[in-house]
Amino acid sequence: MSASAPQSADAAPAAGRAPAHVAIIMDGNGRWAHARGLSRSEGHREGLKATRRAVEFFANRGVRALTLFAFSSENWQRPQSEVDALFDLFVTAIEAELPELSEKGIRLRFIGERADFPQPLQQRMAEAEAATAENEVMTLVVALGYGGRWDILQAAQRWLRDSPGDAPDPERFEDYLSTAGLPPVDMLIRTGGEQRISNFLLWQSAYAELVFLDALWPDVTEQELSGTLETYLKRQRRFGRTPHQAEAGNA
Ligand code: FPP
């Protein structure tokens, strides 16, 4: 991450237009590696470079929150060697990227069930969250051991513990989701040519604009990321209203 984050509001896109929260399903590392006769782990390492490009790109465009799907609840089913290599990569990446993320004012937050992760990884995650807690330029949310259904269920369980007998209302319920305090997802990008949500931010993406890219994650360029923003800006967001109402509301 070499370019610096916006230092003033002037550098950010017009208020109300740019997505406040972008989420990405970073798919295609394995296929990228396979096409080159490399191991899947080498694909993930190359994927990390694309991750850096995406963090830098969206931080520089005034996006307030970027959530990346790095390890799903279902990814535990992968071969143990791949799971171990991914955990090693996460530890190395947190250590290597932390100074620059701090310098750029990026706050790191991890969502998902982390109890079964190796201790060194849990420790790095907690340290990185504490070290960047006061940063305000952008929140980088890394979903590890995450599933949208898990998130809704853990929120429901905590709600019942705190307010037994109270019927949940959507606004207060959101405070129990792992993404509490973040805006809803405005744009959900998936790379790698598949067109599904795969149990990512199910509640939070209720009104997200979906953008699918054929490029495999390690191949995603700044130009393609730019294209996702252009696509987003051309969409009319109606939130259940008529096109006419939405136009009047957006004016
Ligand atoms: C999905 O591609 C990718 C993953 C499960 C891992 C994603 C991890 C990274 C990009 C590293 C980022 C690191 C941090 C710290 C955020 P796949 O393996 O399912 O690819 P395939 O569909 O081609 O098999």
Side-chain angles (χ1 to χ4, degrees):
M1 293 175 223
S2 51
S4 51
Q7 297 302 306
S8 74
D10 294 342
R17 295 286 289 153
H21 188 169
V22 174
I24 310 182
I25 301 176
M26 310 178 288
D27 196 15
N29 295 348
R31 279 166 284 163
W32 182 93
H34 184 74
R36 289 160 180 77
L38 302 171
S39 69
R40 294 181 59 82
S41 303
E42 285 169 297
H44 295 315
R45 276 204 293 279
E46 196 64 22
L48 179 59
K49 297 181 190 165
T51 303
R52 281 197 206 102
R53 287 196 288 277
V55 171
E56 180 174 335
F57 177 85
F58 286 113
N60 284 340
R61 275 150 190 87
V63 166
R64 305 301 308 158
L66 175 66
T67 302
L68 304 174
F69 209 4
F71 191 84
S72 72
S73 314
E74 291 74 26
N75 286 154
W76 281 106
Q77 299 168 65
R78 292 194 173 197
Q80 191 59 45
S81 57
E82 182 175 348
V83 171
D84 289 343
L86 271 170
F87 290 160
D88 286 347
L89 181 67
F90 297 147
V91 168
T92 316
I94 295 169
E95 283 173 356
E97 305 299 331
L98 191 56
E100 199 159 347
L101 291 173
S102 301
E103 190 189 313
K104 290 182 186 310
I106 295 175
R107 179 180 184 193
L108 251 183
R109 180 165 160 182
F110 296 95
I111 57 171
E113 179 53 81
R114 62 178 86 177
D116 294 329
F117 289 161
Q119 272 306 319
L121 176 55
Q122 289 191 45
Q123 196 178 326
R124 295 308 185 294
M125 291 162 72
E127 286 165 0
E129 286 178 321
T132 60
E134 305 302 321
N135 292 348
E136 291 183 345
V137 170
M138 182 177 84
T139 300
L140 173 60
V141 185
V142 182
L144 290 181
Y146 182 85
R149 290 173 175 170
W150 165 84
D151 201 0
I152 294 167
L153 281 179
Q154 68 77 28
Q157 281 160 359
R158 292 195 301 125
W159 173 282
L160 284 174
R161 192 193 57 205
D162 286 1
S163 320
D166 269 14
D169 69 82
E171 267 174 41
R172 276 178 60 217
F173 186 71
E174 283 177 357
D175 292 340
Y176 287 82
L177 292 169
S178 62
T179 48
L182 299 173
V185 175
D186 293 309
M187 173 166 67
L188 172 60
I189 302 168
R190 182 177 187 138
T191 64
E194 310 289 355
Q195 303 200 350
R196 54 179 170 260
I197 295 176
S198 299
N199 195 21
F200 197 21
L201 300 157
L202 298 179
W203 176 291
Q204 298 86 340
S205 300
Y207 276 99
E209 295 298 326
L210 306 181
V211 179
F212 298 107
L213 296 179
D214 285 333
L216 303 174
W217 180 245
D219 287 331
V220 168
T221 60
E222 192 177 307
Q223 206 176 354
E224 269 149 328
L225 296 173
S226 223
T228 66
L229 279 183
E230 280 167 33
T231 301
Y232 173 85
L233 291 172
K234 282 188 205 136
R235 302 260 178 99
Q236 187 191 44
R237 306 196 70 198
R238 295 203 281 274
F239 301 98
R241 295 168 297 175
T242 66
H244 180 71
Q245 286 173 316
E247 201 171 319
N250 287 343

